[in-house]
Amino acid sequence: MTGDAGVSSIDPVAVGGEGLGVQTLRPRRTLGWSIGMTIAALALPLLAAELWLMNTRESWPVIAATASVGVVLILVAWFGYRRTRASISKYGIVEHGFFGGVSTVAARDVAGVLRVQLYRANSLDTTQELFVVERTGRGAFRMRGRFWDEPTMDRVADVLGVEETVGSEPMTLAELREANPRLLYWFERRSLTR
């Protein structure tokens, strides 16, 4: 299936018999454009300033180098986005991250799925967050609402065959940090205001 929310496959992978039932989930398709446009928006003013301030005959290598770096950054971001995916089955999760890392979580280590509404920084708007929680209480896999759509998140607990808990009230990152810091990334566990 394709669409603005990305590409996902719900067909089982045929490996003798009934198959593994692997679903490959991808982030929102519009995210790729957002990343590329952000990098372009940062690089274009620098190029424009170089063109204006420098004599183009003597400084063309500097301008060409700046343009090349901008194009390389856009391509790296695009390929990082294209390789990002999560393969989920009743046996666990294999996540291929934006920066190329691969992490695996066995289904036997998964205690459940937690979904909460988190307030965005300095806003009353919220985003859906999904956490796959290990039996130790640590967050093993996370889906942020800015990157993944809700129908994709809806399938995770069903495919893993675990219970999903939905938070009743929206919360701030500080409240989540106090309630369960082990769900968060290492850089989110400390407040910058202390």
Side-chain angles (χ1 to χ4, degrees):
M1 296 177 352
T2 62
D4 185 48
V7 179
S8 62
S9 170
I10 57 173
D11 298 326
V13 177
V15 181
E18 64 189 49
L20 297 175
V22 175
Q23 291 192 31
T24 300
L25 310 175
R26 297 191 184 276
R28 297 177 192 267
R29 202 171 261 212
T30 56
L31 185 61
W33 284 108
S34 299
I35 292 169
M37 296 308 265
T38 301
I39 293 172
L42 293 172
L44 287 177
L46 181 60
L47 262 174
E50 284 179 354
L51 284 170
W52 179 332
L53 296 174
M54 298 180 160
N55 183 352
T56 56
R57 288 193 179 139
E58 288 88 29
S59 60
W60 69 266
V62 173
I63 295 170
T66 303
S68 298
V69 167
V71 168
V72 167
L73 287 175
I74 290 171
L75 289 174
V76 166
W78 176 254
F79 287 120
Y81 161 73
R82 293 299 295 169
R83 107 177 123 229
T84 301
R85 67 186 179 279
S87 299
I88 299 178
S89 74
K90 64 183 178 181
Y91 301 106
I93 304 168
V94 178
E95 177 186 13
H96 295 263
F98 182 82
F99 295 108
V102 177
S103 63
T104 305
V105 181
R108 68 178 172 273
D109 297 332
V110 175
V113 171
L114 172 66
R115 285 177 73 168
V116 296
Q117 290 284 334
L118 276 184
Y119 286 109
R120 293 183 185 201
N122 302 321
S123 174
L124 293 177
D125 294 335
T126 61
T127 60
Q128 184 84 227
E129 300 270 335
L130 179 139
F131 299 93
V132 174
V133 183
E134 287 186 344
R135 296 191 187 286
T136 61
R138 187 179 71 85
F141 175 67
R142 181 175 180 181
M143 296 175 91
R144 295 177 177 206
R146 290 180 294 195
F147 307 126
W148 304 88
D149 67 335
E150 286 191 41
T152 301
M153 290 183 191
D154 290 341
R155 291 189 292 198
V156 174
D158 288 337
V159 173
L160 289 173
V162 296
E163 184 178 327
E164 181 177 294
T165 304
V166 179
S168 59
E169 294 290 323
M171 58 184 4
T172 64
L173 183 60
E175 291 170 336
L176 182 59
R177 186 182 303 119
E178 274 187 41
N180 202 339
R182 298 186 71 201
L183 293 178
L184 301 173
Y185 296 122
W186 64 269
F187 57 87
E188 293 176 314
R189 292 182 190 152
R190 292 190 171 253
S191 174
L192 297 175
T193 59
R194 286 187 192 179

Coordinates of all heavy atoms in Angstrom, one line a residue, residues 79-87 93-105 140-141 148:
F79 N 18.8 9.3 1.2 CA 19.1 7.9 1.3 C 18.8 7.4 2.7 O 18.4 6.3 2.9 CB 20.5 7.6 0.8 CG 20.6 7.7 -0.7 CD1 21.5 8.5 -1.3 CD2 19.9 6.9 -1.5 CE1 21.7 8.6 -2.6 CE2 20.0 6.9 -2.9 CZ 20.9 7.8 -3.5
G80 N 19.1 8.2 3.7 CA 18.9 7.9 5.1 C 17.4 7.7 5.3 O 16.9 6.7 5.9
Y81 N 16.6 8.6 4.8 CA 15.1 8.5 4.9 C 14.6 7.2 4.1 O 13.8 6.5 4.7 CB 14.5 9.7 4.3 CG 13.0 9.5 3.9 CD1 12.1 9.4 4.9 CD2 12.6 9.4 2.6 CE1 10.7 9.2 4.6 CE2 11.3 9.2 2.3 CZ 10.4 9.1 3.3 OH 9.1 8.9 2.9
R82 N 15.1 7.0 2.9 CA 14.6 5.8 2.1 C 15.0 4.5 2.8 O 14.3 3.5 2.6 CB 15.2 5.9 0.7 CG 14.8 7.0 -0.1 CD 13.3 7.0 -0.3 NE 12.9 5.9 -1.1 CZ 11.7 5.5 -1.3 NH1 10.7 6.1 -0.8 NH2 11.4 4.4 -2.0
R83 N 16.1 4.4 3.5 CA 16.4 3.1 4.1 C 15.7 2.9 5.5 O 15.8 1.8 6.1 CB 17.9 3.0 4.2 CG 18.6 3.1 5.5 CD 20.1 3.0 5.5 NE 20.6 4.2 6.1 CZ 21.6 4.9 5.6 NH1 22.2 4.5 4.5 NH2 22.0 6.0 6.1
T84 N 15.1 4.0 6.1 CA 14.5 3.9 7.4 C 13.2 3.0 7.3 O 12.3 3.3 6.4 CB 14.1 5.3 7.9 OG1 15.3 6.0 8.0 CG2 13.4 5.2 9.2
R85 N 13.1 2.0 8.1 CA 11.9 1.1 8.1 C 12.0 0.2 9.4 O 13.0 0.1 10.0 CB 11.9 0.2 6.9 CG 13.0 -0.8 6.8 CD 12.9 -1.6 5.5 NE 14.0 -2.6 5.4 CZ 15.2 -2.3 5.0 NH1 15.6 -1.1 4.8 NH2 16.1 -3.3 5.0
A86 N 10.8 -0.3 9.7 CA 10.7 -1.3 10.8 C 10.0 -2.5 10.2 O 8.9 -2.4 9.6 CB 9.9 -0.7 11.9
S87 N 10.6 -3.6 10.4 CA 9.9 -4.9 10.0 C 9.4 -5.6 11.3 O 10.2 -5.9 12.2 CB 10.9 -5.8 9.3 OG 11.4 -5.2 8.1
I93 N 10.9 -7.3 16.3 CA 11.0 -6.1 15.5 C 12.5 -6.0 15.0 O 13.4 -6.2 15.8 CB 10.7 -4.8 16.3 CG1 9.3 -4.9 16.9 CG2 10.9 -3.6 15.5 CD1 9.0 -3.9 17.9
V94 N 12.7 -5.6 13.8 CA 14.0 -5.3 13.2 C 13.8 -3.8 12.7 O 13.1 -3.6 11.8 CB 14.4 -6.2 12.1 CG1 15.8 -5.8 11.6 CG2 14.5 -7.6 12.7
E95 N 14.6 -2.9 13.3 CA 14.5 -1.5 12.9 C 15.7 -1.1 12.2 O 16.9 -1.3 12.7 CB 14.3 -0.6 14.2 CG 14.3 0.8 13.9 CD 14.3 1.7 15.1 OE1 14.5 1.2 16.2 OE2 14.0 2.9 15.0
H96 N 15.6 -0.5 11.0 CA 16.7 0.1 10.2 C 16.5 1.6 10.4 O 15.6 2.2 9.8 CB 16.6 -0.3 8.8 CG 16.8 -1.8 8.6 ND1 18.0 -2.4 8.2 CD2 15.9 -2.8 8.7 CE1 17.8 -3.7 8.1 NE2 16.6 -4.0 8.4
G97 N 17.4 2.2 11.2 CA 17.3 3.6 11.5 C 17.8 4.5 10.4 O 18.5 4.1 9.5
F98 N 17.6 5.8 10.6 CA 17.9 6.9 9.7 C 19.4 6.9 9.5 O 19.9 7.2 8.4 CB 17.4 8.2 10.2 CG 17.7 9.4 9.3 CD1 16.9 9.6 8.2 CD2 18.8 10.2 9.5 CE1 17.1 10.7 7.3 CE2 19.0 11.3 8.6 CZ 18.2 11.5 7.6
F99 N 20.2 6.8 10.5 CA 21.7 6.9 10.4 C 22.3 5.5 10.1 O 23.5 5.4 10.1 CB 22.2 7.4 11.7 CG 21.8 8.8 11.9 CD1 20.9 9.1 12.9 CD2 22.3 9.9 11.2 CE1 20.5 10.4 13.2 CE2 21.9 11.2 11.4 CZ 21.0 11.5 12.4
G100 N 21.5 4.5 9.7 CA 22.1 3.3 9.2 C 22.2 2.2 10.3 O 22.5 1.0 9.9
G101 N 21.9 2.5 11.5 CA 21.9 1.4 12.6 C 20.8 0.5 12.4 O 19.7 0.8 12.0
V102 N 21.0 -0.8 12.9 CA 20.0 -1.8 12.9 C 19.8 -2.3 14.3 O 20.8 -2.7 14.9 CB 20.4 -3.0 11.9 CG1 19.3 -4.1 12.0 CG2 20.5 -2.5 10.5
S103 N 18.6 -2.3 14.8 CA 18.4 -2.8 16.2 C 17.3 -3.9 16.1 O 16.4 -3.8 15.3 CB 18.0 -1.7 17.1 OG 16.8 -1.1 16.7
T104 N 17.4 -4.9 16.9 CA 16.5 -6.0 16.9 C 15.9 -6.2 18.3 O 16.7 -6.1 19.3 CB 17.2 -7.3 16.5 OG1 17.9 -7.1 15.2 CG2 16.3 -8.5 16.4
V105 N 14.6 -6.5 18.4 CA 14.0 -6.8 19.6 C 13.2 -8.1 19.4 O 12.3 -8.1 18.6 CB 13.0 -5.6 20.0 CG1 12.3 -6.0 21.4 CG2 13.7 -4.3 20.1
A140 N 12.1 -0.2 24.0 CA 12.9 -1.0 23.0 C 12.7 -0.4 21.6 O 13.6 -0.5 20.8 CB 12.4 -2.4 23.0
F141 N 11.6 0.2 21.3 CA 11.3 0.7 20.0 C 10.3 1.9 20.2 O 9.4 1.8 21.0 CB 10.7 -0.4 19.1 CG 10.3 0.1 17.8 CD1 11.2 0.5 16.8 CD2 8.9 0.0 17.4 CE1 10.8 0.9 15.5 CE2 8.5 0.4 16.2 CZ 9.4 0.8 15.2
W148 N 5.6 8.9 12.0 CA 4.7 7.7 11.6 C 3.3 8.1 11.8 O 2.9 8.9 12.6 CB 5.0 6.6 12.6 CG 6.4 6.1 12.6 CD1 7.4 6.7 13.4 CD2 7.1 5.1 11.8 NE1 8.6 6.0 13.2 CE2 8.4 5.1 12.2 CE3 6.6 4.2 10.9 CZ2 9.3 4.2 11.6 CZ3 7.5 3.4 10.3 CH2 8.9 3.4 10.7

